Amino acid sequence: MSRVLYLIACAAGPTRQVGDGVRAAQARGWDTCLVLSPSAARWHAGHIQELEELTGHPVRWEYKLPSQPDVLPKADAILVSPLSATSLNKWGAGIADTLAIGIPLEAVHLGVPVVVQPFFSTLLAAHPAVPRSVATLEEQGVRVVWAPGEPHPTKQALPWPWELGLDALGM
């Protein structure tokens, strides 16, 4: 039986290469399920089927209705990568208005290991809510892993180290 990883990606630059993150997790033996923020899902609107073929699971980005069955297996671990400043601050405030925030917000309190890799500019990081949100997540047991160069200067594209987040899971 393989381990199940939820790879949750928010609308931030590295999300465009989320398939690389899925493949990196699969290479480590993870049965990888993909959850996108609503904005990230719009970025991949023409590629959802390809991502579903890659993972072997439906790609989720919306809450299901109570009458609908769960379509993903239970997660053994969660990697939120990349985590945008918007999603970080919503999560830090306990606002679970998207599936991409609601799943890890609940999971950490169920004992599921959760790792996040923030990706946003130094301008966004300068807001006082950001360090408070990071501290709030860490106090709840979320492991925050900063990639080299993060936060980054505005409009700077960096290669995304999916491996850092996967290494931090320690599984």
Side-chain angles (χ1 to χ4, degrees), residues 58-152:
V59 174
R60 298 279 314 278
W61 62 89
E62 296 177 308
Y63 280 112
K64 67 177 190 63
L65 297 174
S67 61
Q68 295 174 314
D70 288 329
V71 295
L72 299 179
K74 183 181 173 203
D76 295 304
I78 295 174
L79 173 59
V80 184
S81 178
L83 175 65
S84 67
T86 299
S87 292
L88 166 69
N89 289 325
K90 283 182 174 182
W91 184 357
I95 301 169
D97 65 340
T98 68
L99 187 65
I101 297 170
I103 287 175
L105 189 150
E106 291 181 350
V108 72
H109 299 290
L110 292 170
V112 177
V114 177
V115 171
V116 301
Q117 281 184 276
F119 179 89
F120 43 80
S121 75
T122 53
L123 297 176
L124 292 173
H127 193 282
V130 169
R132 288 193 302 261
S133 295
V134 169
T136 297
L137 268 60
E138 290 177 332
E139 288 167 10
Q140 295 173 62
V142 174
R143 179 140 185 227
V144 180
V145 178
W146 295 94
E150 283 303 314
H152 59 271

Side-chain angles (χ1 to χ4, degrees), residues 31 41 50 92 97 133 164-165:
D31 178 10
E50 293 169 34
D97 65 340
S133 295
L164 273 179

Side-chain angles (χ1 to χ4, degrees), residues 17-84:
Q17 289 84 39
V18 74
D20 294 341
V22 170
R23 284 185 281 279
Q26 290 171 332
R28 293 177 181 223
W30 290 103
D31 178 10
T32 308
C33 300
L34 184 58
V35 177
L36 302 172
S37 70
S39 293
R42 284 195 304 275
W43 290 13
H44 288 286
H47 307 284
I48 297 294
Q49 184 175 349
E50 293 169 34
L51 293 170
E52 289 180 340
E53 290 171 4
L54 178 61
T55 65
H57 299 283
V59 174
R60 298 279 314 278
W61 62 89
E62 296 177 308
Y63 280 112
K64 67 177 190 63
L65 297 174
S67 61
Q68 295 174 314
D70 288 329
V71 295
L72 299 179
K74 183 181 173 203
D76 295 304
I78 295 174
L79 173 59
V80 184
S81 178
L83 175 65
S84 67

